[in-house]
Amino acid sequence: MRAPLPTPLVTVEVADTLRRGVPAVLVAFPGDPVRVGPGAEDVADLGDVSGLAGATSRQGRSWVVGVGDGGPGDWRRAGASLVRALHADAEKAGGTTFDVRLPGDVTRDAVAAFTLGAAVGGYRFTVTGAEPPPRVKSLRLVTDVPGAADVVRKANALAAATSLGRDLANTPSNVKDPSWLAAAAVKAARAVPGLRVEVRDEKWLAEQRFGGVLAVGGGSARPPRFIELTWPGTGGAGEPHLVLVGKGITFDTGGISIKPADGMHLMRTDMSGGAAVIAALIGIARQSLPVRVTGLVPAAENHVSGSAYRPGDVITHHGGTTTEVTNTDAEGRLVLADALSYAVRTLAPDYLVDVATLTGAMKVSLGLRTGGLFATDDDLAARVTAAGARVGESWWRMPLPEDLAADVRSDIADLRQCPPGPGGITAALFLKEFTGDVPWAHLDIAGPARADKVYDEVVPGATGFAARTLIELAESYGLTNTIG
């Protein structure tokens, strides 16, 4: 059986009145005593209500959820925890819709964060032939905050992008190959007016000398694809052109430099960068943002066979740069190099951003909840960091030290794929060679792209990390252009 795509999410709406007979959810703030928002008179006993962010309890027909200190992160955690609790209760009691009574002084940022957490916090991807259990279908936020409907609409769009990124990355690789990923992008794009998508096959890749993509995909019976999504903007004068590039390795054995068996099953999510780019383009187009955006996803399977590429090979990338291969498990940078070169030489971007589950070194450096950010432009780096902060994704800027740049050079080719030294940094320095003089950022999401436990709005499996940041980044350029 295949999991139904897209995964259904909880619908979050805004209303100004309570519905008769619908259970209510109240919010609580910690303190002595605990402070409960509107509807407190309906709670007979506050004995087990702490107000801590995400703490939920059932009080008769009502529910109480803690929002902690009331920051966006606490509200996001509260929304996610609430929906998970309601889902679990629905399997026993069957409740599918609730009214959430928000305090009169709630901020728009809090409303947006709560919506995002509630929409994706109960995400569940399961491949099964069994009937799905009862689930919560909708929440209505009862508030008279000006503009609440607009921020909820945007938060739902960000949630949908996160969910699509998760769906694409979670899909098992016996279903998901480069052709499937391309077809999924085409299907999603068809539902959004104005968004164009073009899929190129292995013949086109050979004609255009995409040597990295062809080498990495050469060991698989399922050939590579190159996916290009185009959002033309709204036609305004001077709209900047942002190009997003996402690694699309639909399964990664490591090739001849084969990975250990433990953990290899997780490599179905090695195209999380590509998933984030596809999801971001869908979200950008749905919001009709006034900025030109192109999304590029080089998609391939890295397999072991008689036709697999080898350590010691020299490959020629799009544009003519040659690379000495030293480790076939460092395949992501090879496919990204082709796409980055194509972007610079063909698309004339104003800004260039790539995103990839690229190096285990980033997991060691930053852990599993923070993405690594490398950039040649301070303004672009600041925009990425700020965009992530607004949508609940954390980034930490890493250096691109000049003293390591020479190590990327090869004795027998222009570049060597895996220089010695700090792995995340040297991988970024390799990619930098293909970005010309375009302001560029590299986002390494090897850590936060996957989770093995629940936290905040994240559930085990693919997290959809980076999709929201990319949408918010595009919006920041659209807003700048509108103001300018």
Side-chain angles (χ1 to χ4, degrees), residues 108-377:
R108 287 161 56 99
D109 286 346
V111 172
F114 185 85
T115 300
L116 178 60
V120 299
Y123 174 94
R124 180 189 295 177
F125 184 95
T126 306
V127 182
T128 178
E131 287 296 317
R135 308 272 279 169
V136 176
K137 291 184 170 59
S138 67
L139 298 178
R140 294 177 81 208
L141 309 185
V142 182
T143 179
D144 57 3
V145 171
D150 291 334
V151 298
V152 166
R153 189 178 302 111
K154 177 182 174 181
N156 278 323
L158 293 173
T162 300
S163 181
L164 176 58
R166 292 178 180 181
D167 282 346
L168 295 175
N170 279 327
T171 297
S173 294
N174 60 321
V175 174
K176 176 180 60 189
D177 64 3
S179 179
W180 181 94
L181 183 61
V186 170
K187 181 179 179 181
R190 281 177 180 162
V192 187
L195 181 61
R196 303 193 303 269
V197 59
E198 190 167 0
V199 177
R200 278 67 174 258
D201 63 12
E202 65 272 28
K203 294 180 181 178
W204 182 91
L205 290 166
E207 291 170 357
Q208 298 297 318
R209 300 184 73 185
F210 275 58
V213 178
L214 291 168
V216 172
S220 174
R222 305 195 287 184
R225 293 290 183 266
F226 187 66
I227 307 163
E228 181 170 346
L229 301 105
T230 303
W231 169 246
T234 55
E239 288 186 353
H241 186 194
L242 172 64
V243 175
L244 308 175
V245 180
K247 171 186 169 184
I249 302 300
T250 55
F251 193 77
D252 182 19
T253 66
I256 288 176
S257 307
I258 197 163
K259 293 178 179 292
D262 291 346
M264 191 190 289
H265 65 286
L266 298 174
M267 289 301 101
R268 64 179 177 272
T269 67
D270 206 28
M271 37 61 67
S272 292
V277 167
I278 292 170
L281 264 292
I282 301 299
I284 288 164
R286 279 181 174 155
Q287 296 185 72
S288 296
L289 296 184
V291 55
R292 293 174 58 206
V293 186
T294 303
L296 306 176
V297 181
E301 279 191 332
N302 188 22
H303 261 296
V304 186
S305 75
S307 58
Y309 76 125
R310 297 157 291 265
D313 287 359
V314 173
I315 60 176
T316 302
H317 294 283
H318 179 274
T321 299
T322 58
T323 292
E324 173 193 3
V325 176
T326 54
N327 184 336
T328 64
D329 192 26
E331 82 298 330
R333 68 197 71 181
L334 298 180
V335 302
L336 289 174
D338 282 340
L340 290 169
S341 176
Y342 172 82
V344 171
R345 292 170 173 271
T346 307
L347 302 177
D350 295 301
Y351 307 97
L352 182 60
V353 179
D354 75 76
V355 55
T357 49
L358 205 64
T359 67
M362 279 297 96
K363 296 170 68 174
V364 175
S365 299
L366 299 177
L368 303 181
R369 301 190 187 185
T370 302
L373 162 63
F374 300 81
T376 57
D377 181 84

Side-chain angles (χ1 to χ4, degrees), residues 24-31 34-37 43 46 48-59 62-86 100-103 106 110 113-115 117-118 456:
V25 177
L26 318 181
V27 300
F29 299 84
V34 173
R35 179 167 63 92
V36 179
V43 180
L46 294 177
D48 59 350
V49 174
S50 70
L52 298 176
T56 60
S57 61
R58 186 170 184 172
Q59 306 290 332
S62 299
W63 286 79
V64 180
V65 60
V67 295
D69 294 334
D74 285 346
W75 279 96
R76 192 173 64 254
R77 188 177 305 116
S81 298
L82 171 67
V83 165
R84 286 194 283 265
L86 296 180
V100 181
R101 303 185 65 174
L102 298 179
V106 70
F114 185 85
T115 300
D456 298 340

